[in-house]
Amino acid sequence: TIISSVLVVGGWSYFIFTGSISTIWPMFGISNQLLASIALCVGTSLLINMGRARYAWVTLAPLCFVASTTLTAGYRSVMDNFLPLAYSPNPAISFQGGLNVALTLIMMSCVVIVLIDSIYKWRRVLAQSPAGKVTVTT
């Protein structure tokens, strides 16, 4: 926890001190929406595990929209905003661009992993229950 906190604070401090917070503002928006995708995965998992799979569409519909638009926006941001900065002749700007590319791709990869794992587990739970009804034992 301490190491990850130091890394995050150090990264933000670097961008603030170099006066280039505008370069990571798109990444902030992407990370916020990717976090929403993870929250919707958790909500869908909760519904399915509670035996309320018929209501899963309430969280699946926004999840599909948020995940697809945000992953597309992340891809476009990497290709159009961050990658050109990574090839800048200025070493400081090149480092910022490369760091933005790496961090954005890591965030996007983590969300894709969560989505794939969630889908796998949803299918497994639904396959084990009759007609999608899950019984929870305590």
Side-chain angles (χ1 to χ4, degrees), residues 8 12 15 20-36 70 73-74 77 81-82 100 103-104 107:
V8 170
W12 273 101
F15 286 118
S20 60
I21 196 162
S22 63
T23 62
I24 63 167
W25 191 250
M27 187 172 34
F28 177 72
I30 291 167
S31 65
N32 187 32
Q33 294 304 310
L34 291 176
L35 182 60
T70 306
S77 190
N81 298 334
F82 302 144
N100 287 347
L103 293 175
T104 303
M107 286 187 296

Side-chain angles (χ1 to χ4, degrees), residues 112-125:
V112 168
I113 289 168
V114 168
L115 286 170
I116 291 170
D117 188 52
S118 295
I119 292 167
Y120 171 75
K121 290 184 179 175
W122 297 337
R123 292 183 63 182
R124 192 179 70 207
V125 168

Side-chain angles (χ1 to χ4, degrees), residues 28-118:
F28 177 72
I30 291 167
S31 65
N32 187 32
Q33 294 304 310
L34 291 176
L35 182 60
S37 297
I38 291 173
L40 288 166
C41 275
V42 170
T44 304
S45 297
L46 183 66
L47 287 171
I48 290 173
N49 288 333
M50 289 176 55
R52 309 251 189 239
R54 66 179 173 263
Y55 300 115
W57 68 270
V58 173
T59 52
L60 276 176
L63 171 61
C64 291
F65 176 76
V66 169
S68 63
T69 57
T70 306
L71 289 171
T72 302
Y75 171 77
R76 296 300 331 154
S77 190
V78 166
M79 298 305 286
D80 297 340
N81 298 334
F82 302 144
L83 210 51
L85 291 176
Y87 292 115
S88 171
N90 183 339
I93 293 174
S94 178
F95 175 75
Q96 285 177 336
L99 184 61
N100 287 347
V101 167
L103 293 175
T104 303
L105 290 177
I106 288 169
M107 286 187 296
M108 291 171 59
S109 298
C110 288
V111 169
V112 168
I113 289 168
V114 168
L115 286 170
I116 291 170
D117 188 52
S118 295

Side-chain angles (χ1 to χ4, degrees), residues 125-137:
V125 168
L126 291 173
Q128 292 175 352
S129 64
K133 294 183 181 179
V134 179
T135 56
V136 180
T137 58

Side-chain angles (χ1 to χ4, degrees), residues 1 5 9 127:
T1 304
S5 296
V9 170

